[in-house]
Amino acid sequence: MLGVIDLPTYLAGLVLIVLLPGPNSLYVLSVAARKGVRTGYTAAAGVWCGDTVLMTLSAAGVASLLQANAVLFSIVKYAGAGYLTWLAVGMLRAAWAMWRARREPAVQSAETEAEAGERPFRRALVISLFNPKAILFFVAFFVQFVDPGYAYPALSFVVLGAFAQLASFLYLTALIFSGTRLSAAFRRRKRLSAGATTAAGALFLGFAVKLTLASA
């Protein structure tokens, strides 16, 4: 179909890939839990735009360039790890403020003001773009399902990308509405909110370390 080989296998693999936890999905869940459905979708839009850019770069062969150029790959890798670390530190600082806010309402107000300046779309977009392993994965996965003899390979990539974005939309939507349910519990229980934010910060540090250890 339109130069796509073995579509059922691609879809099965896609579902497994989308369900794997990563910094993008964790950030969307965190934003939805803190700020609601609308802001959650704003963050999700950043993820979808970032994924679209990565898919386009992969189709254009940029992933192969990264794979062949160790220096360029390292620059992108460490830039991405640095950004994830910065986000993790911000989350851990917010968590510390939440722990203190259990007894100091003024700190809670200050944290609310800080969150008001957050830009979920931009953050999610940058998280998506600074992920060289994702670029390498896209090209390694997509190429297997594109018929090399098809006259319009770009169309094949569009079809595969459309399915990938649909799967991402459904998954992130589920996370967003799960996050809004969590937000009610977070508002009632400050310990739960602080603990969840601490865990998210720790996970982002883990993602940064994992990215640092990644190889082309």
Side-chain angles (χ1 to χ4, degrees):
M1 181 185 78
L2 299 177
V4 176
I5 302 172
D6 200 1
L7 182 58
T9 300
Y10 169 76
L11 294 178
L14 181 62
V15 170
L16 294 176
I17 292 160
V18 168
L19 292 178
L20 288 175
N24 291 344
S25 56
L26 177 61
Y27 181 68
V28 171
L29 177 62
S30 172
V31 169
R34 289 183 287 114
K35 298 189 175 183
V37 172
R38 183 174 181 178
T39 310
Y41 272 113
T42 298
V47 173
W48 296 326
C49 287
D51 286 348
T52 299
V53 172
L54 292 182
M55 292 176 193
T56 303
L57 293 176
S58 297
V62 174
S64 300
L65 176 62
L66 278 179
Q67 195 169 22
N69 191 321
V71 174
L72 182 59
F73 180 86
S74 295
I75 291 173
V76 176
K77 178 176 70 173
Y78 288 117
Y83 187 72
L84 290 178
T85 301
W86 179 74
L87 288 179
V89 171
M91 288 181 176
L92 293 175
R93 290 179 61 188
W96 175 245
M98 290 177 186
W99 285 113
R100 294 179 59 192
R102 290 178 300 151
R103 295 182 296 272
E104 301 175 19
V107 176
Q108 179 65 35
S109 299
E111 176 57 28
T112 300
E113 291 176 5
E115 288 187 356
E118 184 179 2
R119 297 180 180 178
F121 177 87
R122 187 177 68 178
R123 283 196 177 186
L125 177 63
V126 174
I127 290 173
S128 296
L129 293 178
F130 278 114
N131 191 348
K133 291 298 289 184
I135 300 175
L136 298 177
F137 167 78
F138 275 129
V139 71
F141 190 64
F142 280 15
V143 168
Q144 298 179 41
F145 300 94
V146 175
D147 183 359
Y150 188 64
Y152 307 101
L155 183 58
S156 303
F157 278 102
V158 169
V159 172
L160 295 175
F163 279 115
Q165 292 289 47
L166 176 60
S168 178
F169 173 80
L170 295 175
Y171 178 56
L172 292 182
T173 293
L175 290 183
I176 288 169
F177 283 95
S178 297
T180 55
R181 291 190 175 186
L182 289 174
S183 65
F186 289 166
R187 284 192 294 269
R188 292 193 303 268
R189 302 178 182 179
K190 292 182 178 180
R191 285 178 179 269
L192 179 61
S193 179
T197 304
T198 301
L203 284 174
F204 266 81
L205 277 179
F207 289 135
V209 172
K210 183 178 179 181
L211 181 56
T212 300
L213 299 176
S215 58

